[in-house]
Amino acid sequence: ISMTEYLDVPTKGMAAYRAPSLAQPHKARQAIRDAYEGKIKPLIGYYCAISSVPTGRVMALMGADFVWIDWEHSSCNIETMTAVKMQPLAID
């Protein structure tokens, strides 16, 4: 991962750290590092233990920088998680 990917943060905001898909790695570590180093504002996020589309919709409306969705400890398949992940994009 090159550092040039993160130069669009002033224009893209937190979207600069999004993964292109669920099958590709996210850039959360870089976002945390940038916040720690003062390059971006402190991050505000939520933990979501219920992985469902309606819950994802509510979380997207709350305006957090990130939502950590637990799908290891819930009965969720890749189709549901993809639909949950798409909620912030549907609201933008």
Side-chain angles (χ1 to χ4, degrees):
I1 298 174
S2 70
M3 292 305 291
T4 58
E5 292 181 45
Y6 309 110
L7 296 178
D8 282 342
V9 173
T11 56
K12 289 185 176 179
M14 291 306 293
Y17 298 102
R18 283 187 188 147
S21 73
L22 287 174
Q24 296 174 330
H26 57 75
K27 301 165 191 146
R29 286 190 180 121
Q30 185 63 43
I32 293 168
R33 186 177 300 118
D34 287 351
Y36 179 78
E37 293 174 356
K39 295 178 183 176
I40 61 173
K41 64 181 180 60
L43 302 173
I44 303 294
Y46 299 106
Y47 171 77
C48 182
I50 303 170
S51 51
S52 68
V53 174
T55 306
R57 192 172 297 125
V58 169
M59 291 295 205
L61 290 169
M62 294 177 78
D65 294 317
F66 67 91
V67 176
W68 198 272
I69 303 170
D70 184 0
W71 68 327
E72 181 181 0
H73 301 101
S74 64
S75 58
C76 181
N77 58 24
I78 191 74
E79 291 84 11
T80 303
M81 185 53 66
T82 301
V84 170
K85 178 187 176 289
M86 296 307 289
Q87 291 309 306
L89 300 177
I91 291 172
D92 285 344

